[in-house]
Amino acid sequence: MKHLLIVYHTKTGNTGKLAQAALKGATSELVADVETRLRRAGAAGPDDLLWADGLLLGTPENFGYMSGALKDFFDRTFYEVEGRIQPLPCAIFISAGNDGSGALRAIRRIANGYPFTEVQEPVIARGEVSSSQLAACEELGLALAAGLEAGIY
Ligand SMILES: Cc1cc2nc3c(=O)[nH]c(=O)nc-3n(C[C@H](O)[C@H](O)[C@H](O)COP(=O)(O)O)c2cc1C
């Protein structure tokens, strides 16, 4: 049984909707042998990363950066898991008013350090969350879970 961890922050609910869509994809009946854990960034910790075989990271873009809560998750876990995890396959989803590139850049930079290996293109949902953005996140969750199950990642 492989383990997929989804860590996200949301303030006004948009990234939360993306996270729920990713969870839906990851727990699709097309995938049998993957357990998925959904955690808000503030409630996630090193044990979750040590448990995970793959990772989805979600955040709003705030002030051209990831949310403070997701950054805090990184601050609280980096040294705790250093040297104890294999490179984790990961993918990123972002909710932004009109940009998202600063949050993406910042997450990628930190991900390199853990290391997490980005295995799917990110989903950047700008403005109101649309059905196509939800579908893209559902696909992202499915792709990570199916890839873990198949041993591709
Ligand atoms: C304090 C603050 C700063 C923000 N900064 C940015 C920004 O730099 N770029 C951007 O595209 N959107 C920015 N936004 C808009 C949010 O990214 C957007 O509303 C997002 O959908 C919020 O996600 P959430 O509903 O999951 O909290 C900002 C919003 C807030 C509250």
Side-chain angles (χ1 to χ4, degrees):
M1 177 73 82
K2 293 289 182 72
H3 295 160
L4 176 62
L5 174 66
I6 305 174
V7 177
Y8 73 102
H9 173 70
T10 189
K11 184 183 176 217
T12 53
N14 292 331
T15 318
K17 290 179 191 163
L18 302 178
Q20 289 296 336
L23 176 67
K24 187 174 170 197
T27 55
S28 145
E29 61 191 14
L30 297 171
V31 182
D33 281 331
V34 176
E35 184 184 339
T36 300
R37 189 183 277 184
L38 182 72
R39 285 271 190 273
R40 288 189 71 116
D47 288 350
D48 294 305
L49 283 176
L50 295 171
W51 171 87
D53 300 300
L55 179 64
L56 277 164
L57 295 164
T59 183
E61 176 165 271
N62 288 346
F63 304 123
Y65 202 75
M66 73 187 83
S67 69
L70 187 62
K71 173 63 162 48
D72 173 66
F73 167 72
F74 291 139
D75 292 350
R76 287 184 293 102
T77 59
F78 182 78
Y79 285 117
E80 284 72 6
V81 305
E82 192 182 26
R84 300 175 67 195
I85 54 169
Q86 297 295 315
L88 278 183
C90 99
I92 299 163
F93 56 93
I94 292 167
S95 173
N98 55 19
D99 188 357
S101 61
L104 179 62
R105 195 162 46 243
I107 292 172
R108 280 179 166 165
R109 201 166 161 187
I110 290 175
N112 269 336
Y114 269 81
F116 307 143
T117 307
E118 209 177 342
V119 293
Q120 290 283 325
E121 284 298 305
V123 173
I124 300 184
R126 298 184 177 93
E128 284 295 307
V129 175
S130 68
S131 55
S132 65
Q133 292 163 345
L134 291 173
C137 276
E138 192 174 331
E139 238 174 77
L140 200 59
L142 175 59
L144 261 280
L148 286 174
E149 183 180 57
I152 294 168
Y153 305 137

